[in-house]
Amino acid sequence: MAYVGSFAGCSSSDVGNLTGLLTASGATNASAAQVGQFICDRFDEVAATLTAHNLAVDNTYLLFSTYLVFSMQIGFAMLCAGSVRAKNTMNIMLTNVLDAAAGGISFYLFGYGFAFGRSSNNNSFIGSNFFALHNMPDQDNGFDYSFFLFQWAFAIATAGITSGSIAERTQFVAYLVYSSFLTGFVYPIVAHWMWSVDGWAGAAATSNRLFGVGAIDFAGSGVVHMVGGIAGLWGALIEGPRLGRFPKNGTSSMDMRGHSASLVVLGSFLLWFGWYGFNPGSFVKILAPYDGFQGNWTGVGRTAVTTTLSGSTAALTTLFARRFFTGHWNVTDVCNGLLGGFAAITSGCAVVEPWAAIICGFVASWVLMSLNYLALKVKYDDPLEAFQLHGGCGAWGVLFTGLFAREKFVAEAYGPGRGHGLFMGGGGKLLAAQIIEILVIAGWVTATMVPLFFLLKYFDLLRISPEDEMAGMDLTRHGGSAYYIEQPELSYKAGSKNKQRPEQEVIPMAFIAPF
């Protein structure tokens, strides 16, 4: 009953009209007024019930999307575990758990308020309300708890991206510090610029949009993927490569591939599954009609299609390109290509045609492979290719939206008065806004994360010791290896009269495969 909105029942003039009709049909003035008021009261009750049902459906849809996005944390954990060496498996798994846990507290206390807080002190740079969910739910702005949870799932995805870049050589305390800072301050400011109705840069703003149109980053190629990727870039550069990755004696670099392709594939499929909440779920509401039988449910379906096509195209392009360059059909390269296609389409997934998504995925694959080649040349070490995949492909996705966004789809997703793609007859305003988004995200993340990583390095809190790195953090920091091999005692002989089970010798995997 609290949410009546546009479905409110009769106004005073409506009551008067009903009373007049009843009087004209022979009813007395008193009885006509009573019947008219009764009918209008019933309309009020029906309208309130329909509104409540709409809110329930939209909130259920948003929560379901949230659960899908959160399931991506499982995918990140599996992908990270498979992409590092066996001796650091427990370490990287624990960092993924703590990205979600530490990010949950920091986003609750500060991040959500900085990103979406609205009050009498509204401004275009930073939010100013809802810290620790104070004044939530908020009917005036349509913010319920489900919206907070959805945005938290996005924030911790950003931190998960960064952890991949600095894997296998970073102190545990550094993960806690950067994860809290990233989800509590760095990411929320960018989210405010792009997704808040008060932000200065995004198409979601109700007024004073950038170049009059605002940049379009529907689900976060820039806000999520570029922020996490660029943060990871600076962390990896300031830490330096893993020991032995690029020997200083002039010998060729060591290919420190991950220890489990199975985990990489499992993680990739889980991320694919979660992306159907990440991109389509960013509509937030599903019961919003357009024309005829179409509505937000149509946009949701189309967004899932564009997401699928971009990722699939990038995967196939990577498959054949890597076969041409290396002579092998490499499953881990294909998985990274798939994810690069997803990261790229995330910006324009709701505003481009399905055929354009194929172009997006094709180019994303080449962006990823080109950046990987460049990283090898400049001796940049990123165990999960996180900057190349999320930062590089994310930036391409933002540009792609400025080229291929369709006017009709933009109006459905954002409303009238926004820009559309250069190649779709929209001129250059949207493309210019997209370029500005890329530049300000790169500048903001650099200005905030570089000092943080240097401070951690100055206080000797960033990188582990060479001894710990060689032995593996599972043994030196986490109490033991993630994998064990049991071998029977050599003195035990088959056919012995001793029927007891032989003693088992436990050999940590780190000693078997230290690299």
Side-chain angles (χ1 to χ4, degrees), residues 8-44:
C10 303
S11 64
S12 57
S13 61
D14 293 329
V15 175
N17 291 334
L18 280 172
T19 302
L21 289 172
L22 292 169
T23 302
S25 63
T28 64
N29 288 335
S31 61
Q34 290 178 345
V35 172
Q37 186 61 54
F38 175 81
I39 294 173
C40 282
D41 288 344
R42 300 291 77 75
F43 284 156
D44 282 338

CSV table of all heavy atoms in Angstrom, one decimal, residues 8-44:
chain,number,residue,atom,x,y,z
A,8,ALA,N,-2.4,5.6,-8.9
A,8,ALA,CA,-3.3,6.2,-7.9
A,8,ALA,C,-4.8,6.2,-8.5
A,8,ALA,O,-5.0,6.4,-9.7
A,8,ALA,CB,-2.9,7.6,-7.5
A,9,GLY,N,-5.8,6.0,-7.7
A,9,GLY,CA,-7.1,5.9,-8.1
A,9,GLY,C,-7.7,7.2,-8.5
A,9,GLY,O,-7.1,8.1,-9.2
A,10,CYS,N,-9.0,7.5,-8.1
A,10,CYS,CA,-9.7,8.7,-8.6
A,10,CYS,C,-9.3,10.0,-8.0
A,10,CYS,O,-9.0,10.0,-6.7
A,10,CYS,CB,-11.2,8.5,-8.4
A,10,CYS,SG,-11.9,7.0,-9.1
A,11,SER,N,-9.2,11.0,-8.8
A,11,SER,CA,-9.0,12.4,-8.2
A,11,SER,C,-10.4,12.9,-7.8
A,11,SER,O,-11.4,12.3,-8.0
A,11,SER,CB,-8.3,13.3,-9.2
A,11,SER,OG,-9.2,13.4,-10.3
A,12,SER,N,-10.4,14.1,-7.2
A,12,SER,CA,-11.6,14.8,-6.8
A,12,SER,C,-12.5,15.0,-8.0
A,12,SER,O,-13.7,14.9,-7.9
A,12,SER,CB,-11.3,16.1,-6.0
A,12,SER,OG,-10.6,16.9,-6.9
A,13,SER,N,-11.9,15.4,-9.1
A,13,SER,CA,-12.7,15.6,-10.3
A,13,SER,C,-13.4,14.3,-10.8
A,13,SER,O,-14.5,14.3,-11.3
A,13,SER,CB,-11.9,16.2,-11.4
A,13,SER,OG,-10.8,15.4,-11.8
A,14,ASP,N,-12.6,13.2,-10.7
A,14,ASP,CA,-13.1,11.9,-11.1
A,14,ASP,C,-14.4,11.5,-10.2
A,14,ASP,O,-15.4,11.0,-10.8
A,14,ASP,CB,-12.1,10.8,-10.9
A,14,ASP,CG,-10.9,11.0,-11.9
A,14,ASP,OD1,-11.2,11.5,-13.0
A,14,ASP,OD2,-9.8,10.6,-11.6
A,15,VAL,N,-14.2,11.8,-8.9
A,15,VAL,CA,-15.4,11.5,-8.1
A,15,VAL,C,-16.6,12.3,-8.5
A,15,VAL,O,-17.7,11.8,-8.5
A,15,VAL,CB,-15.0,11.8,-6.6
A,15,VAL,CG1,-16.2,11.6,-5.7
A,15,VAL,CG2,-13.9,10.8,-6.1
A,16,GLY,N,-16.3,13.6,-8.8
A,16,GLY,CA,-17.4,14.5,-9.2
A,16,GLY,C,-18.1,14.0,-10.5
A,16,GLY,O,-19.3,14.0,-10.6
A,17,ASN,N,-17.3,13.5,-11.4
A,17,ASN,CA,-17.8,13.0,-12.7
A,17,ASN,C,-18.7,11.7,-12.5
A,17,ASN,O,-19.8,11.6,-13.1
A,17,ASN,CB,-16.7,12.7,-13.7
A,17,ASN,CG,-16.0,13.9,-14.2
A,17,ASN,OD1,-16.6,15.0,-14.2
A,17,ASN,ND2,-14.8,13.8,-14.6
A,18,LEU,N,-18.2,10.8,-11.6
A,18,LEU,CA,-19.0,9.6,-11.3
A,18,LEU,C,-20.3,10.0,-10.6
A,18,LEU,O,-21.4,9.4,-10.9
A,18,LEU,CB,-18.2,8.7,-10.5
A,18,LEU,CG,-17.1,7.8,-11.2
A,18,LEU,CD1,-16.3,7.1,-10.1
A,18,LEU,CD2,-17.8,6.8,-12.1
A,19,THR,N,-20.2,10.9,-9.7
A,19,THR,CA,-21.4,11.3,-9.0
A,19,THR,C,-22.4,11.9,-10.0
A,19,THR,O,-23.7,11.7,-9.9
A,19,THR,CB,-21.1,12.4,-7.9
A,19,THR,OG1,-20.1,11.8,-7.0
A,19,THR,CG2,-22.3,12.8,-7.1
A,20,GLY,N,-22.0,12.7,-10.9
A,20,GLY,CA,-22.9,13.4,-11.9
A,20,GLY,C,-23.6,12.3,-12.8
A,20,GLY,O,-24.7,12.4,-13.1
A,21,LEU,N,-22.8,11.3,-13.2
A,21,LEU,CA,-23.4,10.2,-14.0
A,21,LEU,C,-24.5,9.5,-13.2
A,21,LEU,O,-25.6,9.2,-13.8
A,21,LEU,CB,-22.3,9.2,-14.5
A,21,LEU,CG,-21.3,9.8,-15.5
A,21,LEU,CD1,-20.2,8.8,-15.7
A,21,LEU,CD2,-22.1,10.0,-16.8
A,22,LEU,N,-24.2,9.2,-12.0
A,22,LEU,CA,-25.2,8.5,-11.1
A,22,LEU,C,-26.4,9.3,-10.9
A,22,LEU,O,-27.5,8.8,-10.9
A,22,LEU,CB,-24.5,8.0,-9.8
A,22,LEU,CG,-23.4,6.9,-10.0
A,22,LEU,CD1,-22.7,6.8,-8.6
A,22,LEU,CD2,-24.0,5.6,-10.4
A,23,THR,N,-26.2,10.6,-10.7
A,23,THR,CA,-27.4,11.5,-10.4
A,23,THR,C,-28.2,11.6,-11.7
A,23,THR,O,-29.5,11.5,-11.6
A,23,THR,CB,-26.8,12.9,-10.1
A,23,THR,OG1,-26.0,12.8,-8.9
A,23,THR,CG2,-28.0,13.8,-9.8
A,24,ALA,N,-27.6,11.6,-12.8
A,24,ALA,CA,-28.3,11.7,-14.1
A,24,ALA,C,-29.1,10.4,-14.4
A,24,ALA,O,-30.2,10.5,-15.0
A,24,ALA,CB,-27.3,11.9,-15.3
A,25,SER,N,-28.7,9.3,-13.8
A,25,SER,CA,-29.4,8.1,-14.0
A,25,SER,C,-30.5,7.9,-13.0
A,25,SER,O,-31.2,6.8,-13.0
A,25,SER,CB,-28.4,6.9,-13.9
A,25,SER,OG,-27.9,6.8,-12.6
A,26,GLY,N,-30.7,8.9,-12.1
A,26,GLY,CA,-31.9,8.8,-11.2
A,26,GLY,C,-31.5,8.7,-9.7
A,26,GLY,O,-32.4,8.7,-8.8
A,27,ALA,N,-30.2,8.5,-9.4
A,27,ALA,CA,-29.8,8.4,-8.0
A,27,ALA,C,-29.8,9.8,-7.3
A,27,ALA,O,-29.7,10.8,-8.0
A,27,ALA,CB,-28.4,7.8,-7.9
A,28,THR,N,-30.1,9.8,-6.0
A,28,THR,CA,-30.0,11.0,-5.3
A,28,THR,C,-28.6,11.5,-5.2
A,28,THR,O,-27.6,10.7,-5.3
A,28,THR,CB,-30.6,10.8,-3.9
A,28,THR,OG1,-29.8,9.9,-3.1
A,28,THR,CG2,-32.0,10.3,-3.9
A,29,ASN,N,-28.4,12.8,-4.9
A,29,ASN,CA,-27.1,13.3,-4.7
A,29,ASN,C,-26.3,12.6,-3.6
A,29,ASN,O,-25.1,12.3,-3.8
A,29,ASN,CB,-27.1,14.8,-4.4
A,29,ASN,CG,-27.6,15.6,-5.6
A,29,ASN,OD1,-27.4,15.2,-6.8
A,29,ASN,ND2,-28.2,16.8,-5.4
A,30,ALA,N,-26.9,12.3,-2.5
A,30,ALA,CA,-26.2,11.7,-1.4
A,30,ALA,C,-25.8,10.3,-1.8
A,30,ALA,O,-24.6,9.9,-1.5
A,30,ALA,CB,-27.1,11.7,-0.2
A,31,SER,N,-26.7,9.5,-2.3
A,31,SER,CA,-26.4,8.1,-2.7
A,31,SER,C,-25.4,8.1,-3.8
A,31,SER,O,-24.5,7.2,-3.9
A,31,SER,CB,-27.6,7.3,-3.1
A,31,SER,OG,-28.3,7.9,-4.2
A,32,ALA,N,-25.5,9.0,-4.8
A,32,ALA,CA,-24.5,9.0,-5.9
A,32,ALA,C,-23.1,9.3,-5.4
A,32,ALA,O,-22.1,8.7,-5.8
A,32,ALA,CB,-25.0,10.1,-6.9
A,33,ALA,N,-23.0,10.2,-4.4
A,33,ALA,CA,-21.7,10.6,-3.9
A,33,ALA,C,-21.1,9.4,-3.2
A,33,ALA,O,-19.9,9.1,-3.3
A,33,ALA,CB,-21.8,11.8,-3.0
A,34,GLN,N,-21.9,8.7,-2.4
A,34,GLN,CA,-21.4,7.5,-1.7
A,34,GLN,C,-21.0,6.4,-2.6
A,34,GLN,O,-19.9,5.8,-2.4
A,34,GLN,CB,-22.5,7.0,-0.7
A,34,GLN,CG,-22.8,7.9,0.4
A,34,GLN,CD,-24.0,7.3,1.3
A,34,GLN,OE1,-24.7,6.4,0.9
A,34,GLN,NE2,-24.1,7.9,2.5
A,35,VAL,N,-21.8,6.1,-3.6
A,35,VAL,CA,-21.4,5.1,-4.6
A,35,VAL,C,-20.2,5.5,-5.4
A,35,VAL,O,-19.2,4.6,-5.6
A,35,VAL,CB,-22.6,4.8,-5.6
A,35,VAL,CG1,-22.1,3.8,-6.7
A,35,VAL,CG2,-23.8,4.2,-4.8
A,36,GLY,N,-20.1,6.7,-5.8
A,36,GLY,CA,-18.9,7.2,-6.5
A,36,GLY,C,-17.6,7.1,-5.7
A,36,GLY,O,-16.6,6.6,-6.2
A,37,GLN,N,-17.7,7.5,-4.4
A,37,GLN,CA,-16.5,7.4,-3.6
A,37,GLN,C,-16.2,5.9,-3.3
A,37,GLN,O,-15.0,5.6,-3.3
A,37,GLN,CB,-16.8,8.0,-2.2
A,37,GLN,CG,-15.6,8.1,-1.3
A,37,GLN,CD,-14.5,8.9,-1.9
A,37,GLN,OE1,-14.7,10.1,-2.3
A,37,GLN,NE2,-13.3,8.3,-2.0
A,38,PHE,N,-17.2,5.0,-3.2
A,38,PHE,CA,-16.9,3.6,-3.0
A,38,PHE,C,-16.2,3.0,-4.2
A,38,PHE,O,-15.2,2.3,-4.1
A,38,PHE,CB,-18.3,2.9,-2.8
A,38,PHE,CG,-18.1,1.4,-2.7
A,38,PHE,CD1,-17.7,0.8,-1.5
A,38,PHE,CD2,-18.3,0.6,-3.8
A,38,PHE,CE1,-17.5,-0.6,-1.4
A,38,PHE,CE2,-18.2,-0.8,-3.7
A,38,PHE,CZ,-17.8,-1.4,-2.5
A,39,ILE,N,-16.7,3.4,-5.4
A,39,ILE,CA,-16.0,2.8,-6.6
A,39,ILE,C,-14.6,3.3,-6.7
A,39,ILE,O,-13.6,2.6,-7.0
A,39,ILE,CB,-16.8,3.3,-7.9
A,39,ILE,CG1,-18.2,2.6,-7.9
A,39,ILE,CG2,-16.0,2.9,-9.2
A,39,ILE,CD1,-19.1,3.0,-9.0
A,40,CYS,N,-14.4,4.6,-6.4
A,40,CYS,CA,-13.0,5.1,-6.5
A,40,CYS,C,-12.1,4.5,-5.4
A,40,CYS,O,-10.9,4.3,-5.7
A,40,CYS,CB,-13.0,6.7,-6.3
A,40,CYS,SG,-13.6,7.5,-7.8
A,41,ASP,N,-12.6,4.2,-4.3
A,41,ASP,CA,-11.8,3.6,-3.2
A,41,ASP,C,-11.4,2.2,-3.7
A,41,ASP,O,-10.3,1.7,-3.5
A,41,ASP,CB,-12.6,3.4,-2.0
A,41,ASP,CG,-12.8,4.8,-1.2
A,41,ASP,OD1,-12.0,5.7,-1.6
A,41,ASP,OD2,-13.7,4.9,-0.4
A,42,ARG,N,-12.3,1.5,-4.4
A,42,ARG,CA,-12.0,0.2,-5.0
A,42,ARG,C,-10.9,0.3,-6.0
A,42,ARG,O,-10.0,-0.5,-6.1
A,42,ARG,CB,-13.2,-0.5,-5.6
A,42,ARG,CG,-14.3,-0.8,-4.6
A,42,ARG,CD,-14.0,-1.8,-3.5
A,42,ARG,NE,-13.2,-1.4,-2.5
A,42,ARG,CZ,-13.6,-0.6,-1.5
A,42,ARG,NH1,-14.9,-0.2,-1.4
A,42,ARG,NH2,-12.8,-0.2,-0.5
A,43,PHE,N,-10.9,1.3,-6.8
A,43,PHE,CA,-9.9,1.6,-7.8
A,43,PHE,C,-8.5,1.8,-7.1
A,43,PHE,O,-7.5,1.3,-7.6
A,43,PHE,CB,-10.2,2.8,-8.7
A,43,PHE,CG,-11.3,2.5,-9.8
A,43,PHE,CD1,-12.0,3.5,-10.3
A,43,PHE,CD2,-11.5,1.2,-10.2
A,43,PHE,CE1,-13.0,3.2,-11.3
A,43,PHE,CE2,-12.4,0.9,-11.2
A,43,PHE,CZ,-13.2,2.0,-11.7
A,44,ASP,N,-8.6,2.5,-6.0
A,44,ASP,CA,-7.4,2.8,-5.3
A,44,ASP,C,-6.7,1.5,-4.8
A,44,ASP,O,-5.5,1.3,-4.9
A,44,ASP,CB,-7.6,3.7,-4.1
A,44,ASP,CG,-7.8,5.2,-4.5
A,44,ASP,OD1,-7.3,5.5,-5.6
A,44,ASP,OD2,-8.4,5.9,-3.7
